[in-house]
Each structure stands twice: as structure tokens, then as C-alpha cells.
Amino acid sequence: MIPRYSRPEMVKIWDPQTRFRIWFEIEAYACDALAEIGVIPKESAKAIWERAGNVTFDVDRIDEIERVTKHDVIAFLTHLAEFIGPDSRFVHQGMTSSDVLDTCLNVQLVRAADILIADVDALLAAIKKRAFEHKMTPTIGRSHGIHAEPVTFGLKMAQAYAEFTRCRERLVHARKEVATCAISGAVGTFANIDPRVEEHVAAKLGLTPEPVSTQVVPRDRHAMYFATLGVVASSIERLATEIRHLQRTEVLEAEEFFSEGQKGSSAMPHKRNPVLTENLTGLARLVRGMVTPALENVALWHERDISHSSVERMIGPDATVTLDFALARLTGVIDKLIVYPENMRKNLDRLGGLIHSQRVLLALTQKGVSREEAYSYVQRNAMPVWRGEGDFLTLLKADKDVAAQLSATELEELFDLGYHLKHVDTIFRRVFGEA
Amino acid sequence: MIPRYSRPEMVKIWDPQTRFRIWFEIEAYACDALAEIGVIPKESAKAIWERAGNVTFDVDRIDEIERVTKHDVIAFLTHLAEFIGPDSRFVHQGMTSSDVLDTCLNVQLVRAADILIADVDALLAAIKKRAFEHKMTPTIGRSHGIHAEPVTFGLKMAQAYAEFTRCRERLVHARKEVATCAISGAVGTFANIDPRVEEHVAAKLGLTPEPVSTQVVPRDRHAMYFATLGVVASSIERLATEIRHLQRTEVLEAEEFFSEGQKGSSAMPHKRNPVLTENLTGLARLVRGMVTPALENVALWHERDISHSSVERMIGPDATVTLDFALARLTGVIDKLIVYPENMRKNLDRLGGLIHSQRVLLALTQKGVSREEAYSYVQRNAMPVWRGEGDFLTLLKADKDVAAQLSATELEELFDLGYHLKHVDTIFRRVFGEA
Amino acid sequence: MIPRYSRPEMVKIWDPQTRFRIWFEIEAYACDALAEIGVIPKESAKAIWERAGNVTFDVDRIDEIERVTKHDVIAFLTHLAEFIGPDSRFVHQGMTSSDVLDTCLNVQLVRAADILIADVDALLAAIKKRAFEHKMTPTIGRSHGIHAEPVTFGLKMAQAYAEFTRCRERLVHARKEVATCAISGAVGTFANIDPRVEEHVAAKLGLTPEPVSTQVVPRDRHAMYFATLGVVASSIERLATEIRHLQRTEVLEAEEFFSEGQKGSSAMPHKRNPVLTENLTGLARLVRGMVTPALENVALWHERDISHSSVERMIGPDATVTLDFALARLTGVIDKLIVYPENMRKNLDRLGGLIHSQRVLLALTQKGVSREEAYSYVQRNAMPVWRGEGDFLTLLKADKDVAAQLSATELEELFDLGYHLKHVDTIFRRVFGEA
Amino acid sequence: MIPRYSRPEMVKIWDPQTRFRIWFEIEAYACDALAEIGVIPKESAKAIWERAGNVTFDVDRIDEIERVTKHDVIAFLTHLAEFIGPDSRFVHQGMTSSDVLDTCLNVQLVRAADILIADVDALLAAIKKRAFEHKMTPTIGRSHGIHAEPVTFGLKMAQAYAEFTRCRERLVHARKEVATCAISGAVGTFANIDPRVEEHVAAKLGLTPEPVSTQVVPRDRHAMYFATLGVVASSIERLATEIRHLQRTEVLEAEEFFSEGQKGSSAMPHKRNPVLTENLTGLARLVRGMVTPALENVALWHERDISHSSVERMIGPDATVTLDFALARLTGVIDKLIVYPENMRKNLDRLGGLIHSQRVLLALTQKGVSREEAYSYVQRNAMPVWRGEGDFLTLLKADKDVAAQLSATELEELFDLGYHLKHVDTIFRRVFGEA
């Protein structure tokens, strides 16, 4: 997580003050429940909220205590006691540090997921706007980087929309994976704390109780969460890569917005580079790189070891902050993307009509020519066009075998662009529910 | 995928004959739909099923054709035409190779998921049996590999049960991610094929139509699928690691079944090694290693490139076959696991009662001692026990400060094992719905 | 490892017969040394070679024995005894299975490295040939996919040559990392076997003795080996990606060789797709995916556990076979690559001279214009050209501020291609040692 | 990179001030060379050093300029010009941003490697000290977590020493991989800058000229660098895992140093957890997770794209800072590790002599018993011992078949520990060059 690739709202989730506030709420809600079931005095539970419910924790002071105790939760509780006074002896009763740490982490990851879901919503809105704007803007579809058959720019956007709709659902699942609360004591047996405390804290924090914890929340949940972020990052890379391709000098069908004052290159002033989408490609690599550490975190030893902790201290903030930034950047790129329909048209015409070869092939087979023969008729006319030696339609008309099957008019109709776009509405209805 | 780590049912999904059969079904169902909407003659569609619906495809022959055409689907169609005759010209009409390849891959992955889900069900049954068998078998809970407080072996199994229940849900999701069908032609526009064909084929194969394909099914679906397998593999590693730990010479609380005739070591005949669970640890690494290639497959260029294909030819079979084998092996390990309750008891008593320190701490604070003081009373008595210099209960009774708060009887009650197990039923009800 | 992406020589290294032959040699050489130092009779050592030195091992028979013993080395030794008779009791004396397994694996990896190094040599030769052939073929250099300044196609090849020269050195290092032999007994103490046996076997097999083994050869060696293969795979991906870009319809500066009979697409007969380099991109992902499992193999428990074994059974063959195939495929691609210098020239001229902007900028600053001002003169003339509204040279000549500094002749000289190529020889000498 | 896992010296390499200082040196040395070959005035080159050679750059000011120009090097040059005045027009002449950025990155990575190498040296010293201290401290060697045969604690240390000696060599190689300098202009052709400038800057910065750059230094170098860090991290994990195992309650052969005031658990005051080595396990996962992004950075498009940049901004600092911290932490752990020879001895005796089974087996075969028979004699006596039903030596003496071959005295001699340690010196001489 570095400032350059960070946005404040997501960063705030991970700052010490937020963390200590969540810790406080966990402890205070736990005290409420303990008071309710008669384990501690009700006045003490109330006093905790009153004396520390609105304080700003002194992060440096807590750090200072931790340097001695080498234990972060004890350091926090010691500091908290400075506010609360004698009632502080009722705080954390029957609990273990992980009850606080893991529940807090889950609260943070849930909040992070909420931001990421909102990010995807904003991205989806941007994509949808461009999709409808260019629903019928014809452009060449490319497989293997080679011209295939016509599509529309709107269809490209529709595919991205469908993909990020799936990403949204995945994030909703990922959020649910980690939305659990564990207040179950030393090894998760509730020996020293009543399960009703967990239920109360969970309800208050918008979580569900972890069915069985073993001091820690099981890390398969977090593995799934980070794996999901890795998939979303990869979808970002796909759309970013598309734009990088479209902005190539030879293609130039779309271009990232280039602001006033921006300099493309210290050496070549004419250059307008797709630096945002290249950057997104790199950010995707980073988020993906955090998936495996999260997977390796699952196999903790026995009831728990603490090897997951350092991993999560890094990838918790890094993965969510980076992905949030990337989604927002991509939204900006799509929103302000400069689209060049005329260049799309120019590129479409570039191959002298070859992109219609499949239709010709099909028409020939429908006339009764065998697939193999039809293929060979088409290929022998396609090859010269490919070498720049003529126009496909003209050559086909002059081919005796082809002409024997298809009249000039029939051939011309096969070169109609509208033919390829007749189901755009169908696809739009599938993707957007409207067309 | 190597025979040593393979099971025949899963291997069969990936053999050429199965693949060609699925290709055939896709083509034949597509012909049915084309006939229904009047694009090709109904008799031809019927003839295709009649002439090739029960044949065994000649894999070598197809390979031979492919060596010339360098195109697998064309090779198959050429071979298929040898069975069907002239009607073969109606086959594959308006379709592109990926319509066949991607829909087939998804059928294979769906079938693989079905096996994996069944595998998890078998594993869950084995875990559940052992969980109830040892619901109240006390054993020490360990954090950081260090004795903490008592749990039961049944609780360990309950945690595994809950984890694999989540894995099952994830597999159901993963299955849904890839259960789509694309029959949309060259660049996914349905220019040459009616969307109703896709709908028909999808319905027949138990899939849903891909909302928008671009020649290919988008690979974020497969990325999510393989990422999910990686998470399941990591959960396997967790349970395998637990057993490896329990089988250590010094711990020996459980042991993999050791069959007659099996030799543990060529050099040390007494050795009984946890080789199955060590093997599972390695297999987990393998499946996890396939997640990143699947993630890298997402960002195909434009409407598609074929870089994903070689990756999927390897990880499609490898990840599913390996995971299937691993789940089955783990099921066998759990089912036949030799559990040593008496050794668990011996280990529980090993620390001279130190595992009850948390209860003593709590009892002291409940008597009004500050948390810090209580901590120091307990620690000063714990340290000698840790060094093997006495028994915790005896020392506590002799500690003036402690004795001032807690009577001998009170102290003895704090050393009761039942105290720790009182909520086992609660947890079992959460996990299994019964206790 | 699947036949489609395999070459026989590398596959052979990993077949059971080869493995059993290496196992035999390790055992037989060990017997020679044991006889030499008087531990076993010399005639027995001799008899082992005589009776089993030329046999073909019965792989099925060994598998059958293993199914009972569940131990592969014991199964082999049992089978070996069937050839050797009573003298077989001297075989494997004081050794442990891993002495055989790990030394054998290292022999296989060393042989694999030798093939890979030879592969790189062949690739280097192909690259060098094309580099000199096109040393002075001008083409546009692109940063961010955007035209920058001229380079030559030979320079692109020179970069690839330098990169694979480094890959070669890395492979030589990787080979050295695993070229060790361990014959040190149960836990590596030589308690039951004299270190001279290890020295003898090492010398015979072209290895060096492992300084300290712990039953197993330490896996950091293998991790480094597979990590190196991952780097080589990534370099393959780089060159493959370059060719994929050059073959794009809009660029078409080079093209993979398209053999007679080959069909590009079942639907679009005109298509010539860069399928080999796309395939190489996928293969690179596969090899890279094996790096992390190899890294995870390092932290074996205590003196050893066997979790590494299943990983190596898969990635040993898979990584080396796949990389061998990929290197050979890339060599073929480069060797037969169709280069289109005329298209390169066309693309060079595409931007109306904008690629010379940096020279103009420099010339202006050399005349004393500040960098900022020069930048703005250049940019204001570049932008219209970029939009297709004129030719850069013409506009510059007409710009008052520019004209005040640079005469028409001076400007024209700035547009000379030769200027950019004057150091090609320098770079070639650095890379190839000749120009 | 987070403060908790960072050390100041390594952090400093990556702070903006250091970076700008290196940028300055690159520019100033380049000016020296340009002056030397007569491209710019010598006084100007001198003035640059005089006016900016000792300044502290205003990081906020540079950030402010970058927010407008969206280009970091231009922002720096603008700020630099504020110090230098009119002579600043000679700065950066013929260079491109990457000349500065990539050369700087390599300087940083080289410096980081120097620290890492020094870290490994410190670690090696700590390991060596403990190795010689415990050269002859017997302890049980374990394979699969099961007791095998005796080793010494010194041998465990010797293995670690050998492994980190290899890591050191790898780091030296990694350093060499990135110790290059590129000052070659827009696309690496030296069109606008003489190669002698690169040679001069390289020499001054302790680098070698990059043989062929393409605006950027090729990223296979950095991939190899980070892959190497991943291997070192994995070796750290291995040693950390060993200590975690040794500290288990049931094993307790060694223990991390536990400082005064440190609290092991908020709930269980007696606990002394191997938290440092568990932490190291997590840190290893983090560093390993950065290998794949670095590998993915290799395949930049054409002469360059900027996708690598965001990756390097994160993993450059993160991987080096984390690994530096981990190496230093591991050094502390080893240096202060509390070793319990008496517990090692207790564990050695735990199996009733079974660890000598291999010797007995060997002795029997040397007496002429077939390997299979000897194996069965040993196993039938080993199994009861394993079940706690007797002492191995006693049982063997009572076994008729064994007694027929080996006298009581002979059997007793087979149980001598010294037998296993006779080659410790040999191994020490191999590893340390002394014993």
C-alpha cells in the first residue's frame, strides 16, 4: 500500500485508530452481553462506553506499551484501562486476543468489501453508459489479434459489463465468507465465555457467529476472500489490456483521456501513452501475487499458529487498497475514454473484405458445396487479398466455381455489415436486461 | 496427472473418447435446433444421431488428420464426416471451433465438479463419524504448538467438518461459474447462427447460455473455478498437517492406518510414517500452483487469443484429477485413522496442570484482584512448573497471595476437565445440526 | 506433461526404465566402492554388474511388488534381487531409499538441464541468424505500444539474443545447483556407510557430494532450479509476445510460418493466426506456475518429510518437458519467421514524421532554447500531425519560433533515418562480439 | 513494507530523498561525460555538481509538480532546474526517463543486495557459533516427524549453514544480475546520446553497461533477482519451521529467547510461544508471493511498456525490506536460542532403543541373513516396543533367530550412540572447512 495507489476511504479502514475503535467496540459489546447474563455488573458495562466510547486512542502510547509487552492486545487493554479505571478488570473477561483480532479483521474486510462492491457498481455504471453510447458502433472483432468478423464497440463493453457483474457477485460471496465473529476464548471451547456473548457481538457488528473457531477464525475464509480479489484483478487486467491494444498507434480505435499539462514522455512530446491501463496491468499482478500467501495461510498448526498474522498485516491493506484504487482508476478510464468510431471503420475495411469470408463459406455450403470444397474456394481467393493483391468481392465474382453457385448480387449481400449486428439487441437484453 | 495420483472416474472425463463424444453431442444437438428452426433438413439432423450416435471415435485417426490440418476440431469434423456421409455438410454450420471446445470444457469441468462435490460428501461423512465417535475424547488444544487448554478430538473433527462444508458450498459455486454454453459463432455475434441453437444445446447439456461470449467463454469463470480448487486443496493441507502433527513420535495421539505388508522405511523397520498426509501436503501445493496460471488466462487479447488453451489442457485434468485423488485419500485417512485417547490423556497431563492457568487467572480477577496482579501471581507459579519443578495445583495452594483468594477446594475445582467441555454440544449443534 | 507438448528425448529422461537404470547404477557403483573399502566381497560387486548391468527392468513387475510393499525402492530392490541372486544381500547396504531417489532425481535434472542448455543454444543460433539478416532493416521502436523512434529488426533480435544468453548462464547455474549426490544413510550421518562411497558414486555420475544431507538433498537447490526455469519461461513469453504483436492485422511486420494444409480457423479460411506464440505464452504460464510449489518444498520438517515427492513427480517431468518443447517451438518460430521489411517501412512512415520529434526537441535546445520552450514548440506541431492534420516536417518549417532556430535544411537532416542506426554496430559488437 | 517488519538502513534505500539523490548523480555523471566528449560545456557540467551536489531535494515540491505533469522525472528535472539555473538545459540531454529510472532502480537493488548479503553473513556467523557449541550434542534425527536415528544439534546447524552459504552465493549472483546501467536514449539506440556516456555513468556507479536496452533494462534480470529472494525466504522458512517444531510442548528441545516483561498470551500466562519463527514463516510467504509478479513483469510489450513500474514500486521495497528484517530476526533467534540438551537426550531414549533398529538389521545381513529375513526379525521385535510393550534390546536378546546370529555383547555394541556420530567431523570439515 503506497500513497500513489491508494484512496483515503479504504486506507482509513486500516489505520490504527480505526482498528482500536473496532477493538473497543468488540470489548464493549462483549461487556454488554456479559452484564446481560450477569457475569459482570451492568454499571461497569455502561461505564466502559461512557468513559471510552468517544475517546481518541493514543496510538503512540499503545505502541510504547507494546514494545515492552510484545503483545498488541495487552498493550491496547492497558491503555484502555487508563481511561476506564477499575472497571477495566471486567473487560476482555474470558476472551483471548484472537477474539478481538480476528473479529476486527473480519469487520475490516467486510467494510473493504463494501467499498469494493460500490467501486464495481460505479465501474458498471461507466461501462453501461459507454455500451449504450456505442451499441451500434461497428468495429472489427479480432481473434489472435487478427481481424475476424465485425462486432460493435458496445458489445465489447457489454462483455466487460457481464464480467464485472460476475465480479460483483463474487465480491458479495467473498464478503459473506469473512463476515463472521469469534468470541470463543482460548481454544474456541467457550470454557470461559458464554456463547451468547459471541452472538451479541456478532449481531451488533453485522456478523454471524463463527460455528466453530479454534482461538482463530479458520483461514480458508480469508483465502477465499483474497482469491476472489485476485480474480477481480484479473478481470481488470483483461479490460485494461483491451484498451492498451486499442490505443496502439496502428489501431488507435480508442485512447485514454489525456489531460492538459500531462506530458507523455520526457523525450517524445507527441506521445500519448496508455499509461493508466498499463498501470492497471501491473496493479493486477500485485493483487494476484497476494492470493498464494493467503492460500498458504490456511494450514495453521493445530488450533492455531500466528504465521498468518504478518501476511495479513500486509495483504489485508495492500490487496484491498490496491484493488479499490484500480477499480476507481479503471472507472475513470472507461468514463473518459476517447473512442474513435471513424478509425474503427477504417480498420474494418482494411482487409479488402476478407472478414466476410465466413459468410461466403457458409453460403457456398448452403448451396450444396461440400465443406471441404467451399473452404478451398474461399481460401484460394482469400490468400491474394491477404497479400494485398486485390479485393475479395471482386475476386470471388471472378472465380468460376464460386460464380457457379452465387450470383454477383448474392455475393454483394454477403458483404453487408448489418448482417453481423442483427443480434446485438439480443445480447444487450441478456446482459443489461434492456436493449 | 500421473497414474499414481489418479482415479479412473475423473480420468475418464478427460480422455479423448469422452471429449469427442461431448463434441459430437454439441454438434448433434445444434443440428437438432438448426433443423427445428428450418436451417437444415430434419432428416439430416436425425441421420447424424443415427449414423454417429453410437460409434466409438478413432482417436488415432483424428490425431493423424490433425497432424495435417493442425486444427483439432476440423480433424474431428473430417472424421465425423466419414461416418455421416453427405449430411455432414450440415454439421457445425455457422459455428466456430470454440463453440465446441469451450462448451465441451465446461461440460467436463461441471462433471469434474460433480465428482469433487461427491468426494467432499464422502469426506464429510467420514469426518462426522469420527467427530461423534470422539465427541467427548479430551485432548489438549495447542496454539503455537504449545499446550493451551483442553478440547476434544471431536471438536477437531467438527472444525474440519465445518471447513469442508464451506468447501462444498464453494465447489457448488465453482460449478455454477462454469456451467455455461456458448454457441455464438465466429466472434460471438450470432451472425451465422441463431441464438436459439445455443439455448437448445445448453438445455440439453444442463448448462445455461453464456450471456455474451466473444468466440470464447470468458475465462474469469474458469479462474474462479481453479481458484476455488486451490482453496479446497489448502483445506486438505490443513487437515493433513494436523494428522502429521498428531502422529509425531512425541505426540502420537493419532496414526494413519498401517496395512499388512507395508514397509515404512527401507532402513528403519520400526517406522510408521504419516506418508499419506505428507503426500496430501504435496498434492495441495500442486493444485495451488495451478491457480495463478488460471488467473493469468483471464486477460485474453481482444475477442480471444488461444494462450489459455495449453494451460487448460494441463490444469483442467491435473487440478481436478489431483484434487479428486487427494479428497479420496484424505477420506480414507480419516476413516481408518487410529486414534489413541490414552495418549491424548497422557499429553494433557504433561504440563503438571499448567493448562488450567487461564481459569485460575480468571477466578482471581473475579475475586477482585486486578488483571495485572492476577497475571503475575499465576505466572510466578507457572514458571517453575514449566521448568519441571513441581505441580501447578500444589504450588498455587502454597502461594500466600493465591491462597488469600481461593481455597484449596476452589482451586481443585478449577482443575476440572469437564469445565472445558461444557459447550461441546453447543458447537456440535452449530456444525452438525445435532449433538 | 502431455504428448502434444513433449519431445521424446526429454520424455525419456523421466520414463521408468531410465529411472530404474539410474537407480541400478547408483546401487552398483555404491557396491564397487563398498567392495573397494572391504565392506563387501569384490566378486559380489562385480556379479551385480554382470547379472543386471544389461537387463531391461520389468516395470510392471516392480509396480506389482510396490502395490504390496507400498515402497518403491524396496520394490525395485526385490526385483533386482531376482536377477542378482544371493549377492543381492550386499546391495543397498547402509543406504536409505533417499540416497537412491535423490541422487537419481539430481541425475535426471542435470540431464534435463543439458537438454535445455542445448535448446537455448539452438535458439540463440536461430536468433543470431535473423539478427544479422535484419541488422539494418529499419522498423519503428514502440514504447507503450505507441510509435517512438526507429530501431532495426536486427536490434529486436539482438535484445532477444542477449536475454537468452543470460538464460543460458542461468541454466548452467541451475544445473550446478542440483548436480549433487547423497549417499549418507538414514539421517545423513554416514553412520552405516562410509563417505567414500558417496564420493565414488558422485564421481561416476558426474556429480559432487552433497556437503551435508539429512537423508535428503536439501530442496533449496531444487527450488532454485525450478525458479530458474520460471525465469526462462518468462523470457520465452516476452519474445512470443513480441511476435504476436508484430503479426497483428494492423501491424503485420512479421508472421509465423504457415505450412501447407494448415487451417487457421474452422470458420474464417483467410486467417493466419500466431497460434504458436500464443501457445508459448500459455506454456510459459504453466512453467511459471511450478515455481511456487518448488519453493514450498524447501521447508521440509526436521531431517525430512516426503511432501516434496508428489510435487517433484509432477513438476520434474512437467517443467522440463514443457520448457524443452517451448524452447524448440520458439526456435522453429524464429527460424522460419516471415519478416516483412516493406510493412515495417510503411508503419515507420505512418505518423507523418512524428517519430523524429525528439531530435527536433534536442536540436532546439542545442540552439539555446530552454527545454520547456522547446518542448512546447514541438508539442504544438506534433498534436495536429497526431490528429492526421498534416505532416510534421512541413508544419515545423512553417512554425515561426522553430524556423527562427532551424533552417529548412537543418530540419530535413533531422528526419534522416540513418541518424538512429549509427550505433547498431556498437550494440551488435556488445551482444555478439561482432558486427 | 510496514514499520513493524522494517529496519531503517534498508528503508532508507527506498526513500524519496535517496532516490532523488541517485537520479541527480546519474544526471550529473552523464553531464560530466557529455562535457568530456564535447557535447556540452565543461563549466556547465561542473556547475551542476556545485549548485545541486549538496542540496536536499524538496520532495513535496517535486510531488506538487508531478501532480501537474503526471511525470515523475520531468517533475524532478523541473525542480532541479530551480537549483541549477540556465545550465539545467544541458541536463538529461539525449536521455530518456527510463535511463534515470532503471539505472536508479538497479543501484537501489544492488545496495539492497549488499545489505542482504551482510545479513546472511551475520546469520552464518550465528549459526556457526551454535553449530560448534553443539557439535556433539546428540539429538534424535526425525524423518516424517518420526524418530529415525541419532544426529547432533550441531549437524542441524551445519545443514542450515550450508544452506545459507548457498543463499549467499545466490544473492551474489542476483546482485550481479541487476548491476547494470542503461543510458541509451528513447528506444535504446544511442541515437541521441553517445554510448561513452553510459560507460562513464556505469563505472561511476559501480555498474556495467547494459549490452542492449530498449529504453528499459530487460526485466528478466529483475525476475531472477526477486526469484532469488523467494528462494532465500524459503530457506528462512525451513530453519524457522525447525525451531517451531523443537519448541513444541512435547518436544521442547529448543526455545526462542523469552525476554523479561514479554507476555506470551493474554489468557495463558505460562505460555512461551515460538512467535518469532512463526512470524518468519509468514514473512517467507510474503516474499515468495512477490516472485510471480516479478516473473510476469518480464514480457513487456515491444521496446517497453510501463506495467512493471507499479509492481516494482511495491515489491522493490517490500521484498528487500521484509527479507532484510526476516534475516536479522532469524539471526537473533539463532543467536539467543535456548537449547535443552537434556531434553534432547530424554527424547532420544523415548523409543526404547528402536532407533537402533537399522544397525541391528545391518548386522544381521552381515552375518549372512537375507535382507528380507533380517527385516522381518527386526520388525517383529520393533512392533511391541513401538506399542510400549518392552525394551528393544531385551526383546532382541530373547529372540531365538536373532540370538543365533548376534551375541548379547554384540547386540549391546549396536546400541552405542558414538557409532552414529563418528562422521560428524567429516561433515563439519565439508561445511565449515574445519571441525
Side-chain angles (χ1 to χ4, degrees), chain A residues 375, chain B residues 60-72 74-75 78, chain C residues 258-264:
Chain A
Y375 195 98
Chain B
D60 292 339
R61 172 85 185 107
I62 296 172
D63 284 354
E64 192 191 315
I65 305 173
E66 190 186 341
R67 269 190 295 279
V68 180
T69 60
K70 299 197 178 167
H71 197 297
D72 48 4
I74 294 178
T78 305
Chain C
F258 197 78
S259 65
E260 289 299 312
Q262 187 175 345
K263 293 190 179 180

Side-chain angles (χ1 to χ4, degrees), chain A residues 142-144 146-147 245 248-250 265-267 269-271 273 278 296 350 357-358 371 375 378, chain C residues 142-144 146-147 245 248-250 265-267 269-271 273 278 296 350 357-358 371 375 378:
Chain A
R142 296 169 179 92
S143 55
H144 315 277
I146 307 297
H147 284 200
H245 276 303
R248 288 184 59 102
T249 302
E250 289 86 355
S265 148
S266 69
H270 72 274
K271 291 200 64 174
N273 301 324
E278 289 181 344
E296 292 180 347
R350 196 181 200 106
S357 58
Q358 153 84 353
R371 193 170 167 82
Y375 195 98
V378 170
Chain C
R142 295 169 179 94
S143 56
H144 315 278
I146 307 296
H147 284 201
H245 277 303
R248 286 184 60 102
T249 302
E250 290 87 355
S265 148
S266 69
H270 73 275
K271 291 200 64 174
N273 302 323
E278 289 181 343
E296 292 180 347
R350 195 182 202 104
S357 58
Q358 153 84 351
R371 194 173 166 79
Y375 195 98
V378 170

Side-chain angles (χ1 to χ4, degrees), chain C residues 283-297:
Chain C
L283 297 178
R285 288 178 197 144
L286 284 167
V287 176
R288 261 204 304 264
M290 301 179 205
V291 174
T292 300
L295 292 171
E296 292 180 347
N297 266 356

Side-chain angles (χ1 to χ4, degrees), chain A residues 220-237:
Chain A
D220 57 301
R221 294 185 177 280
H222 307 80
M224 199 66 220
Y225 184 93
F226 289 104
T228 302
L229 302 199
V231 174
V232 177
S234 300
S235 289
I236 290 173
E237 188 188 19

Side-chain angles (χ1 to χ4, degrees), chain A residues 395-410:
Chain A
L395 287 170
L396 286 170
K397 285 179 181 172
D399 184 298
K400 234 171 48 186
D401 290 323
V402 173
Q405 304 293 338
L406 297 163
S407 71
T409 317
E410 280 175 316

Side-chain angles (χ1 to χ4, degrees), chain A residues 5 8 20 26 46 63 109 115 124 130 152 165 232 238 296 314 316 342 353-354 358 365 372-373 389 414:
Chain A
Y5 308 130
F20 293 137
I26 294 167
K46 213 174 144 200
D63 284 354
L109 291 174
I115 294 178
L124 285 170
R130 307 311 301 262
T152 73
T165 302
V232 177
R238 185 181 180 191
E296 292 180 347
M314 299 262 287
E342 65 285 10
L354 273 191
Q358 153 84 353
T365 55
E372 282 62 36
E373 270 188 307
E389 301 160 7
L414 296 174

Side-chain angles (χ1 to χ4, degrees), chain B residues 218-237:
Chain B
R219 256 50 193 183
D220 57 302
R221 294 186 177 279
H222 307 81
M224 199 66 220
Y225 184 93
F226 289 103
T228 302
L229 303 199
V231 174
V232 177
S234 300
S235 288
I236 289 173
E237 188 188 20

